[in-house]
Amino acid sequence: MSSSRNNDETKAKLNLETSRIRWHELQTYYARGQVVRVGKALDLLDVASELTADNRAVFEQWLAAGDVGDVPPDMARAWYDRDAELWAVVVAPWVLVQDRTEASLPSGSSKPSGSSVH
């Protein structure tokens, strides 16, 4: 049970460190390859928590599924062009970002649910 409590404490701490940021402000981190894209299907805090816990098995599954990964150049360009506002949390040296705007949802998708970031 202490593992669950530690995970809850980690998530609570990460939630306090999560905020919205404009893509232009992340350009230095993107250029260094330190930005990790988190797909809409995942909860940003869950991903940050698993990264903090160094849970490689879960992270490798997400990577293989394309749910987390690098920001592709075309996406970075689109975010730059509209100076996208993203949700972000730092798990050093990484900056995890998630785009939650309607414009970025693939057609036929709905808004993500169950997220604890507001």
Side-chain angles (χ1 to χ4, degrees):
M1 188 141 102
S2 68
S3 176
S4 177
R5 184 181 322 153
N6 288 342
N7 190 33
D8 290 345
E9 289 173 5
T10 298
K11 280 186 172 181
K13 181 179 182 286
L14 290 166
N15 192 40
L16 293 174
E17 297 171 1
T18 302
S19 67
R20 294 181 202 179
I21 188 169
R22 294 278 178 188
W23 180 244
H24 288 181
E25 297 175 61
L26 294 169
Q27 292 305 291
T28 301
Y29 303 98
Y30 176 69
R32 291 181 190 154
Q34 294 176 311
V35 177
V36 176
R37 175 195 48 80
V38 176
K40 290 184 176 294
L42 298 177
D43 183 292
L44 183 62
L45 292 178
D46 286 342
V47 175
S49 179
E50 295 296 343
L51 185 58
T52 300
D54 196 25
N55 190 341
R56 289 183 179 203
V58 170
F59 231 81
E60 286 173 1
Q61 289 175 348
W62 288 334
L63 284 166
D67 292 328
V68 299
D70 294 336
V71 177
D74 58 333
M75 183 179 288
R77 200 170 307 109
W79 286 352
Y80 187 87
D81 289 346
R82 67 180 171 94
D83 193 16
E85 185 177 66
L86 308 168
W87 281 101
V89 61
V90 174
V91 179
W94 310 107
V95 180
L96 281 64
V97 298
Q98 188 173 49
D99 187 359
R100 297 216 171 146
T101 60
E102 281 294 317
S104 67
L105 286 172
S107 62
S109 295
S110 60
K111 289 183 181 180
S113 61
S115 178
S116 48
V117 178
H118 298 281

